[in-house]
Amino acid sequence: DHEGKVPVAGEAAFVGRRRQIQGILREFRAPKAERHAGVLIRGMGRQGTSSLAARVAHRLEPTHETVVIYGRYDARAILAAFGNRIATPEVTAIVDQWLPQVRDTPSQLLPALTALLEGPCAQRGNNGSQPVLLVIDDFEQALEGCENGPHVVDEDVIPAIRAVLQAFTNAETDSRLLFTSRF
């Protein structure tokens, strides 16, 4: 991330994940009808999930702008991250238009993300538009542990994550979605 909140291994310390990187990039290049909403990198803490995401972002860097969500996974934080990272007039206008609505009604994140993903973040263009790689990092922070089963998404962030998944599934875009999580 560009704010330095997420520690990642440098290139010299990060080795042996070439197949995983190639698999993720292959999924990202698949035709829309054959690909999923995004990719989940799951692994134990301090084992390189964020570093793997950083290497993927680096590989996509020439064609994609990276937006990292870390720590807060609510609708307002997700939409604000687009505005903070991509300060083009088109993105700023969409974020400014939708942010008050998203603050009051988190389900409004879906039309806001759709406007971004099918608008200025759809594909690389002459007007400075560029697709994004949305990295939702350390998503285990938004999960609640269950004694008798798998972890579940915290109720407060379900509408936001549902909107993200639907937006990336439905949008005609070159933008891509990547989650990292321990669980």
Side-chain angles (χ1 to χ4, degrees):
D1 70 319
H2 299 282
E3 290 82 34
K5 295 178 189 174
V6 182
V8 295
E11 284 191 40
F14 187 81
V15 295
R17 301 284 179 89
R18 185 174 178 189
R19 285 189 179 148
Q20 289 88 353
I21 292 170
Q22 289 173 338
I24 292 167
L25 294 174
R26 194 171 24 260
E27 173 67 24
F28 285 168
R29 287 188 208 110
K32 180 170 176 36
E34 297 174 18
R35 73 172 176 259
H36 300 88
V39 171
L40 167 65
I41 300 172
R42 184 176 58 98
M44 296 186 319
R46 312 284 311 154
Q47 297 299 311
T49 55
S50 296
S51 296
L52 181 56
R55 295 288 97 57
V56 170
H58 180 72
R59 293 282 297 272
L60 292 176
E61 209 168 67
T63 59
H64 289 70
E65 186 68 48
T66 303
V67 175
V68 178
I69 308 296
Y70 176 81
R72 284 191 52 214
Y73 307 94
D74 58 277
R76 187 175 188 281
I78 292 169
L79 185 58
F82 275 83
N84 293 338
R85 183 69 189 119
I86 308 169
T88 65
E90 295 85 5
V91 170
T92 301
I94 291 170
V95 170
D96 289 347
Q97 172 192 351
W98 285 98
L99 202 52
Q101 296 172 55
V102 166
R103 185 179 5 225
D104 296 335
T105 312
S107 63
Q108 291 297 304
L109 181 61
L110 178 58
L113 286 177
T114 300
L116 287 166
L117 295 176
E118 292 187 347
C121 300
Q123 59 188 358
R124 192 174 186 95
N126 295 335
N127 60 352
S129 63
Q130 189 169 12
V132 299
L133 171 63
L134 178 61
V135 178
I136 299 181
D137 194 48
D138 284 352
F139 187 62
E140 71 272 1
Q141 296 178 54
L143 302 178
E144 297 174 349
C146 292
E147 290 183 26
N148 299 329
H151 288 74
V152 296
V153 179
D154 182 334
E155 282 184 29
D156 294 338
V157 299
I158 287 174
I161 299 307
R162 181 176 287 134
V164 168
L165 291 170
Q166 286 178 326
F168 276 87
T169 297
N170 298 334
E172 293 293 330
T173 184
D174 289 337
S175 292
R176 298 295 182 256
L177 174 62
L178 182 62
F179 282 85
T180 71
S181 183
R182 294 179 187 189
F183 310 106

